[in-house]
Amino acid sequence: MTATLWTNARVVTADGGIARAPLPGAVEVRTAAGRIVAVGPSLPRDGCVVHDCGGRLLTPAPVDCHTHLVFGGDRAAEFEMRLDGVPYAEIARAGGGIRASMRATRGMGVDALVAASLPRLDHLLREGVSTVEVKSGYGLTIADEMQMLRAARGLGRVRPVRVVTTWLAAHAVPPEYEGRAEAYIDEVAIPGLMAAHAEGLVDAVDSFCEAIAFSPAQLAPLYDRARALGLPVKIHAEQLSHMGGTVFACGYGALSADHLEHATEADAVAMAAAGTVAVLLPGAFYALRETVLPPVAAFRAHGVPMALATDCNPGTSPLTSILLAMNMGATLFRLTVGECLLGVTAHAARALGLAEETGRIAPGLSADMVLWDVETPAQLVARIGFNPLHARIFKGEVA
Ligand code: DI6
Ligand code: FE
C-alpha cells in the first residue's frame, strides 16, 4: 500500500484542544492505508508519494455531528408564515412543523429519500465534510422511521463519506397518537428502535425534549431501552425552554446535549461530570431569531467541549454549510476562531463517539483532512458564503 507524504502545508491538527493557528515550522503528515501514520517535521519519504500542499492550510475534515438531512418536501411556506409573525411553536401546534415534513416523508421509498437528500449531502461534501450524522424523525411510524435510516445508510454507499445514524422517532407525537405521547413511545419509538437496531440501522438514540414534544419522564423508557441495547444516547435539550433534558440525558452518559440556548450552569456542571459534549446549533438560533444565547461562558468554565453543527432540517435550520455554521458560532455565539474549528472537528467527532477515529490530524486516526486555499483558521471562519476548499481527503484519498 503506497504511503503519501503531505508536505509544505500549514497544519492545524485540532489535537490537544487547540486549533487557533497552524503548528510552527515545516510540519508534514504521512498517511498510509487510509490512516494517519505520523505528524511532524522532516518525516521519512521512503516509498511515499509526495504531495506538495503549496503552503495551504491543512485541517481535519469537518464533521457535521447533527443533521436531519433525510426528509421529503420543504417548509418554505412556513418560512413565510414566520415572516408574517407566526411563531414556530404555534405552527407546530397547528399541525405544521415536524408533522408537515412527516406528511411529505411518509411513504417515500429509500431511493426517493436518497435522491431527495443527495443535493444537501453534496453541498456539505463540497465544503469538506467527511462525516455526517443523519437522524430519523420525520416518519413517526416504525416502517417510515426505519426507511429513513435505510436511506441514511444508502447515502454512505453512493458518496465517499462516513454516515452515522441516529434513531429520533421521539421527535414529535404524530396525529394518530395526539395526546398519547407515552403510548407512542411504548408502541412505536421503542419497538421501532428494537427492529432498527436488529437491522444494524442505529448508531445512537436521540429525542426532542421540549414542551411541544416530550418530557424527560416520557422519554425515560426509551432511554432505558437504549442503555439495555448498549446504544449511546444524545438529546435535543433546552432549545425553546428549560425542560431538564440535559441533566436527564447526562444520567445516561449522553454523548451530547444539543441546542442548549436555555441551559444553565447546573446543566454545564452535569455535562462536565458526564463527559457530554455541548452541540451548539446557530443555524436554528438564527432562523428562529432566538434571543437567549447558550451559556458559552459556563461551558468554558466547566470544561464542557463545544461542538458546532448545521442541524440541517427543513424547518428551523435549512442550512447546508458547515463553514457558515462556524461563522455563526463566532458571530452569534461569540466562540473564538479556535473554538469554532475545534467545534466542527475534534469536538464534533467526540459528540458522535468517534474521537479516536476522525476529527484530528493525529497518528492512528482516519486520514480525513481538507486542504484550503487560505493560510489561517481565521480566514476560514471570517468569510460568509465563500468556500475556499482546495481538496477533500477522505481515508487518505483525494475525494
Ligand atoms: N429541534 C429543532 O429545531 C428541529 N428538531 C428539533 O428537535 C426542528 C425540526 C423541524 O422543524 O422540522
Ligand atoms: Fe435537530
Side-chain angles (χ1 to χ4, degrees):
M1 168 67 68
T2 306
T4 303
L5 188 74
W6 307 85
T7 185
N8 188 23
R10 289 174 164 82
V11 180
V12 174
T13 64
D15 205 10
I18 300 164
R20 185 182 175 89
L23 292 175
V27 175
E28 298 178 325
V29 180
R30 181 172 173 138
T31 62
R35 313 299 291 185
I36 296 168
V37 173
V39 181
S42 311
L43 296 181
R45 278 162 161 65
D46 58 290
C48 273
V49 172
V50 177
H51 192 110
D52 185 327
C53 298
R56 296 180 177 90
L57 178 68
L58 182 67
T59 71
V63 172
D64 195 352
C65 69
H66 183 133
T67 88
H68 307 254
L69 198 71
V70 169
F71 58 86
D74 75 77
R75 303 241 296 277
E78 289 184 10
F79 174 78
E80 288 193 286
M81 288 169 70
R82 295 210 307 273
L83 285 176
D84 292 339
V86 184
Y88 174 83
E90 187 177 323
I91 295 171
R93 286 195 174 94
I98 293 167
R99 285 186 178 181
S101 292
M102 173 203 75
R103 291 189 291 271
T105 304
R106 276 184 174 178
M108 285 180 74
V110 174
D111 292 346
L113 286 169
V114 168
S117 309
L118 268 177
R120 298 185 280 268
L121 176 64
D122 285 340
H123 202 281
L124 291 174
L125 302 186
R126 280 198 291 273
E127 292 191 354
V129 171
S130 284
T131 300
V132 185
E133 183 258 11
V134 181
K135 306 173 190 290
S136 68
Y138 290 119
L140 308 187
T141 67
I142 293 175
D144 291 300
E145 288 290 303
M146 290 179 71
Q147 204 76 314
M148 289 186 69
L149 293 190
R150 290 189 190 104
R153 289 278 193 250
L155 291 170
R157 287 192 289 270
V158 296
R159 289 290 188 276
V161 64
R162 182 182 295 104
V163 172
V164 176
T165 60
T166 300
W167 181 257
L168 179 60
H171 197 198
V173 177
E176 60 271 23
Y177 281 91
E178 185 64 51
R180 299 190 300 125
E182 292 84 353
Y184 173 72
I185 294 291
D186 290 345
E187 298 168 15
V188 177
I190 291 174
L193 171 60
M194 305 288 289
H197 176 60
E199 192 176 312
L201 294 175
V202 183
D203 297 318
V205 176
D206 190 357
S207 70
F208 186 19
C209 184
E210 191 56 67
I212 57 172
F214 299 91
S215 68
Q218 291 168 337
L219 293 167
L222 174 63
Y223 281 60
D224 289 342
R225 187 60 61 94
R227 179 160 49 190
L229 292 171
L231 288 170
V233 298
K234 42 182 67 238
I235 194 165
H236 287 64
E238 331 317 344
Q239 177 184 3
L240 307 174
S241 65
H242 191 276
M243 293 281 293
T246 304
V247 168
F248 162 75
C250 288
Y252 292 86
L255 287 174
S256 72
D258 301 39
H259 284 288
L260 299 176
E261 281 85 342
H262 293 264
T264 63
E265 177 131 24
D267 293 325
V269 169
M271 293 173 75
T276 300
V277 175
V279 175
L280 305 182
L281 303 169
F285 177 92
Y286 166 83
L288 296 177
R289 303 177 69 226
E290 290 296 343
T291 54
V292 176
L293 289 166
V296 166
F299 294 139
R300 285 188 184 121
H302 295 284
V304 177
M306 292 183 279
L308 287 167
T310 62
D311 190 17
C312 177
N313 75 69
T316 64
S317 190
L319 173 66
T320 48
S321 171
I322 198 72
L323 292 172
L324 183 51
M326 281 202 286
N327 178 271
M328 288 179 171
T331 302
L332 298 176
F333 291 170
R334 316 314 288 165
L335 298 185
T336 66
V337 164
E339 288 171 332
C340 289
L341 188 51
L342 273 178
V344 302
T345 54
H347 292 170
R350 179 172 300 281
L352 299 178
L354 296 175
E356 299 311 317
E357 181 60 19
T358 191
R360 291 177 292 133
I361 297 179
L365 273 70
S366 182
D368 306 335
M369 306 183 293
V370 175
L371 208 46
W372 307 96
D373 278 322
V374 295
E375 295 182 353
T376 68
Q379 290 171 328
L380 204 51
V381 177
R383 300 287 294 264
I384 300 173
F386 178 75
N387 180 7
L389 182 136
H390 180 78
R392 180 172 80 95
I393 298 127
F394 179 56
K395 295 183 179 177
E397 299 295 328
V398 176

